[in-house]
Amino acid sequence: MTQELVNVTIDGVPVSVPKGTPIIEAAKQAGVLVPHYCYHPSLPAPAVCRMCLVEVEKAPKLMPACVTTVAEGQVVHCNSATAKKARESVLEFLLINHPLDCPICDQAGECELQDYVFQEGRASTRYADYAKRYNPVEDFGPDVLYVANRCILCTRCVRFMEDVADAAVLNVSERGDRAFIGIDPAQRLDHPWAGNVVDLCPVGSLISKDFLHKARAWDLDKSASVCPGCTQGCNIMIDTRDEVVVRLRPRANLEVNRHFMCDVGRMDYRWMNRGDRIEAPLVREAGSPRLLAVDWDRALARLAELVKGTTGKVVLLASGRSSLEALAWVRRLVAAQSITAAIKVPIGEAAVLPGVPNLALRRERVPNLDGAKLVGYTTEWQGALDATRSSALTILLDAALEEKEVKQLGGGPLVVLSTVHEDWYDSAKLVLPLTSMAEEHGTYINRDQRVQRFTQAKAAPGMARAAWWIAAEALALNGTRGTPSSAAEAFAALGAWIPSLGGLTYADLGLTGRIIEPTPAGSRE
Amino acid sequence: MGFPHPSHPKETPVLSKYFGDAAARSFRGWVERGGYEGLKKALGMTPEAVVEEMKASGLRGRGGAGFPTGLKWSFMPKDDGKPHYLVCNADESEPGTFKDREIMRWTPHALIEGCAVGCHAIGAECCYIYIRGEFTEPWHVMSAAVEEAYAHNALGENVFGSGKRIEVVLHRGAGAYICGEETALMNSLEGKRGNPRIKPPFPAQAGLFALPTTINNVETLAAVPHILTRGAAWYKGLCLGNPKSTGTKLISVCGHVMRPGNYEITLGTPMKELIFDMCGGMRPGRTLKAVIPGGSSVPLMTPEEVDQCATDYEGIVACGSMLGSGGMIVMDDSTDIVYEIYRLAKFYAHESCAQCTQCREGTAWTTKILARILSGQGKSSDLDLLLDLSENMTGKTICVLSDSCAAPIVSGIQKFRADFEAYLSRATAPVLALA
């Protein structure tokens, strides 16, 4: 479908944009960010903050760029003297009742009020003689506090709950300068997607209790990732401070999650910071009663030897959180044998976000279900557990087994690749320290066959390595040539035996992913 | 509720002819006085012909903006297959204005008839009349009249046997000034918070319930039947030299005149004649100080401006203000202009819907500055600050409430600067204690 294009000039830069585009979006294409508060590309635009007023030639007055659509031949000045004075005045009006408590505000450093005032606000106040508006902090819900005094009443939160979450819990209460964001007294802000109001809030008014006073924004390192919580594959940022994950936030991907993520995914990060990690390869030497820490050379040699010496059936029990690279290369490691491979898929309650098509917290709480299937894993978990009774080798790939599952394991040789240590691993021949998904580069394939990259967000502990690397190194020891030395190579090589990934590289995926045609079952390998 | 004053010889009673005549309130009484002839005539005409008649009459919106009524009606889409709505704005919340109240109190059928004609003209089957919450008596009168109109087939499934369906629904506001703004009024009617909407889309494209809608003021609609019965030419002839301002206008005069009340003038009547003759002039020993001619939202006028002003849309603009709603507030030399402006600003600060930043914060801030000046603690820089803030509040918001707060402040400082400076120099004793 071809869209009718409209030619406009914004701050001297000519751009062609589809008819109906608001000036604020057209300006982005001209390289101009029109300062704004109430406008958000995933919410209906109410044009209330009046920050994005721009000068449109031939218009009688300044026009709000968020709701004024482009017209052929339109000439827009976002930074003319009148537009700048209007913005400066909005900033002044917003600040007169703002507490200016940036030193104790979580939003400082990523606050749009702070940023724009710094960019083009007045240097001093003309409101010095009056008391500021005061309203107490309100506890809105499980993770959301409302600091009313910082609120600029942009109403993004109200519109998100009403128009996107379809749960009108929040409102604008009172009028004039007494107005504040109110909450239905009979309800809590406990919608499974409610946490997004914290990200949407351009100032420090809606803040996360979980993140409260944890870190300053400018101290954070931010890494593009994919939520490992379910098959939706929401794009996220993992924010760390000194190698500690302090919060997860949604990252824009208009095809997958727009600007949102659910609270279940948002809050599920503490496992990334677990301290009880395996930090060195552990080997059971012949005659030794316990596992001993060794270097990688020794451990890899042992792994290669174990795999080469196995002639019977191999069972792979993997975590659904394992990357495509990990699942594929570990499976390839034992490709010569008869293989039973399965991932464990925990099931939970689904939670739809009504305002965004095809966006929900999915029942299948693994990020790589389709990736696992693509590279030869099933979800027949119980069958795989049963198969261990007759297997010549069982490999556990970061799969946390429940106590009753451990009892079902057969007595054959066991190799464990894991992030954390369990007491029962003492029975294994080999225990190898793995990186978690937060500590490695990798890919997941979501329920829509979108292959998406996640990047390393923090350093791995000790000698932990990615599973694909361990498998590839062992393969090399057994004579395979051209094994990968980076995650990018590990991914690029997959196309050789998984046709639907043929030719794809990390560069092709970018940070928003690529949809593939799934390979029909049976045609692989 | 008291009765209105007897008509002054210089008035042109059209809408106000039966003010005070309780018998005109009933259906029968209204028919005896020539009522519903306009509607019957309209039903025999095509909607287009009715619209043309309005265009020819020169009738302009009496709510404040003065937009030509026929032109507004012609904006409604034709044959679009959607329901259309007519909304009558009876919220009359502009301070100083009390004309619609009298129309509804005394001649409810004139309004109902006008609504029915309007529905016919714009292809609507339903008209909502949004009545100000505080209007208890008009509400009761209108309720009774609507019931009677249904009983006599002036409203209903088959109006006067024409086969045309016209319904009128009364809705009572809850007491917010902003709900007199047409888009806020529509939100309020829909059961939402009364916040003005961004335009476009304009009501004729997507108004009430997102359907094509026309909103007219009570006085506008009440004039419609008269135009139909007596002809557009007659109405256009009610003109004192300015062909852009035709017909009669109810002016609600309040304040320091001997005889305050509603006066129906032919547009173009000299303002001094209205104030000094019809209204009986100033109280003994007092002189005119200022006039707010069109409801509290318009700039103040000085006696010099009043002296040469023709009371019509263009005439008042030429003299530095606006006709607005016709709510004329007359102030004599006993008036503290600074306090008067403070009181207005306080009203706007209270009534701001809180959507737009400039209005929400600006109305409150200017009120605080004015309070400080009145408390004797004003600074020499305060007047420049007020003017700058007023500029920042003008022309930048969704609706004009913010502009309405700024207009009296700017005109007050420009035209009565000495009054402000007397407070700043402590020549005038403080009248407010600063909180």
Side-chain angles (χ1 to χ4, degrees), chain A residues 48-50 85 89-90 92-94 97 126-127 129-130 133 152-153 172 174-179, chain B residues 193 349-352 354-358 360-361 364-365 368-369 372 379 385 388 391-392 396 398:
Chain A
V48 295
C49 74
R50 315 308 287 180
K85 177 167 195 289
S89 84
V90 170
E92 179 180 38
F93 283 131
L94 289 175
N97 278 309
R126 298 191 287 183
Y127 189 76
D129 304 311
Y130 310 99
R133 168 176 62 228
I152 60 169
L153 288 159
V172 176
E174 259 292 348
R175 292 184 292 169
D177 75 331
R178 292 95 57 214
Chain B
R193 185 181 160 99
H350 184 257
E351 297 291 341
S352 166
Q355 278 193 111
C356 302
T357 307
Q358 291 94 334
R360 180 179 70 238
E361 307 293 344
W365 188 1
K368 285 178 185 176
I369 296 169
R372 187 171 66 178
K379 293 179 179 175
L385 179 57
D388 189 49
E391 187 193 319
N392 292 339
K396 299 185 177 61
I398 292 178

Side-chain angles (χ1 to χ4, degrees), chain B residues 266-282:
Chain B
T266 301
L267 281 172
T269 301
M271 194 177 283
K272 62 179 177 188
E273 196 174 305
L274 172 62
I275 294 172
F276 290 99
D277 187 351
M278 299 187 206
C279 298
M282 298 294 103

